[in-house]
Amino acid sequence: MATITAFDGTPIFYKDWGSGRPVVFSHGWPLNADAWDAQLRFVADNGLRGIAHDRRGHGRSGQPWNGNDMDTYADDLAALIEELDLRDAVLVGHSTGGGEVVRYLGRHGTGRVSKAVLLGAVPPFLLQTEDNPHGAPIGAFDSIRDGVERDRSQYYKDLTTTFYNANREGVTISDGTRDAFWLAGMQVGLKAAYDCIAAFSETDFRADLLTIDIPVLVVHGDDDQIVPVAISAVKTAERLKDATLKVYEGAPHGIVGGPYQARFHADLLDFITS
């Protein structure tokens, strides 16, 4: 397996398909790089180099006790980009991975990156606080923690319902898609899965967004039941210097792997090559 070594010695697994301009994908919780296989193949088929890693604690990467926080995730992404000596890269992040991309850009700058894509991403700040009154209350995230602690296997199975909007009329999600989500979730170490909930819900990305000086494509479903568009993509686009916001009508949090995937592929390639 291809791995790089993070600053603290943690091995970080990655896939590297195709050649050309690098497109680096960061996955959501509780998934791994396999969630991006269709996109990796798509960009590689179109003359680009697709790269995706397993976040620490997830999939085939190491499972250290410490470092399950957004700063460290960003530093791990930096280690990957620097080890592979990537230039003129496009960063693509879904959900928690979108936070990872934004924190990387805020923390490490845009010297190696020319564009970014945020898909159903968690910035600017999910948690409800005095200065973020439209965020979600802490109880919403405590319920996720309770589910992971109590019976994470069943919790991941149940989560596929709202992740893919299987509870909406006319929406059908295959058992295979649900099973793949569950399998990825069960590959996350319990400590990493638990800690990552705070990382994606309690990290404030508002200052990071203001520093980003490259074009950013922001894609979000208007029926996202996990990360509501009004408290995420809309506010993110307002803070970015050069944002293109595309809201997919009826789309769930899990845009890739479903009926909206072809549309996302077209928007992604158009943004990269324009």
Side-chain angles (χ1 to χ4, degrees):
M1 295 196 304
T3 63
I4 58 101
T5 302
F7 72 94
D8 63 351
T10 300
I12 303 296
F13 167 86
Y14 69 95
K15 301 181 180 189
D16 191 347
W17 296 358
S19 60
R21 186 180 184 184
V23 186
V24 185
F25 295 86
S26 293
H27 63 80
W29 178 93
L31 306 174
N32 57 48
D34 294 349
W36 290 117
D37 270 11
Q39 289 68 51
L40 292 171
R41 181 185 175 192
F42 173 75
V43 298
D45 282 345
N46 281 277
L48 301 163
R49 180 183 178 188
I51 300 164
H53 65 291
D54 290 354
R55 185 172 298 114
R56 65 170 53 216
H58 298 60
R60 291 140 293 198
S61 290
Q63 296 190 7
W65 184 255
N66 296 316
N68 303 301
D69 58 82
M70 203 57 69
D71 284 353
T72 306
Y73 297 159
D75 291 348
D76 290 346
L77 178 58
L80 176 68
I81 291 171
E82 291 164 16
E83 177 68 23
L84 299 182
D85 194 24
L86 304 181
R87 309 278 179 175
D88 192 29
V90 178
L91 302 187
V92 183
H94 174 245
S95 195
T96 300
E100 181 179 290
V101 166
V102 169
R103 180 51 52 92
Y104 167 87
L105 294 171
R107 193 169 169 86
H108 296 276
T110 57
R112 291 177 176 267
V113 180
S114 56
K115 293 183 177 181
V117 179
L118 304 177
L119 176 65
V122 298
F125 189 21
L126 288 185
L127 183 66
Q128 184 181 76
T129 60
E130 284 190 9
D131 71 341
N132 190 45
H134 300 296
I138 189 69
F141 305 111
D142 286 340
S143 69
I144 301 174
R145 278 182 273 266
D146 290 344
V148 169
E149 279 198 310
R150 183 177 63 255
D151 185 348
R152 63 184 175 131
S153 180
Q154 188 61 51
Y155 182 79
Y156 295 144
K157 283 181 177 289
D158 293 342
L159 183 58
T160 61
T161 298
T162 49
F163 191 92
Y164 293 108
N165 284 3
N167 56 346
R168 298 304 197 220
E169 185 177 355
V171 175
T172 301
I173 302 300
S174 71
D175 289 341
T177 296
R178 289 175 179 260
D179 290 347
F181 185 101
W182 170 85
L183 178 61
M186 293 306 294
Q187 292 174 345
V188 186
L190 179 58
K191 177 65 159 54
Y194 189 89
D195 288 357
C196 191
I197 298 164
F200 70 66
S201 64
E202 299 178 30
T203 302
D204 185 346
F205 301 97
R206 290 176 291 186
D208 300 276
L209 290 167
L210 296 175
T211 70
I212 297 173
D213 57 1
I214 56 174
V216 181
L217 174 63
V218 182
V219 177
H220 217 102
D222 73 353
D223 196 20
D224 188 326
Q225 299 180 70
I226 306 296
V227 180
V229 64
I231 67 171
S232 54
V234 172
K235 293 183 179 298
T236 287
E238 290 172 352
R239 285 181 170 265
L240 289 165
K241 294 180 176 69
D242 186 358
T244 300
L245 175 62
K246 289 183 178 287
V247 178
Y248 292 5
E249 183 178 354
H253 191 59
I255 286 177
V256 298
Y260 296 88
Q261 179 167 280
R263 179 178 175 183
F264 174 66
H265 282 182
D267 285 340
L268 175 65
L269 186 61
D270 180 67
F271 177 71
I272 293 172
T273 58
S274 62

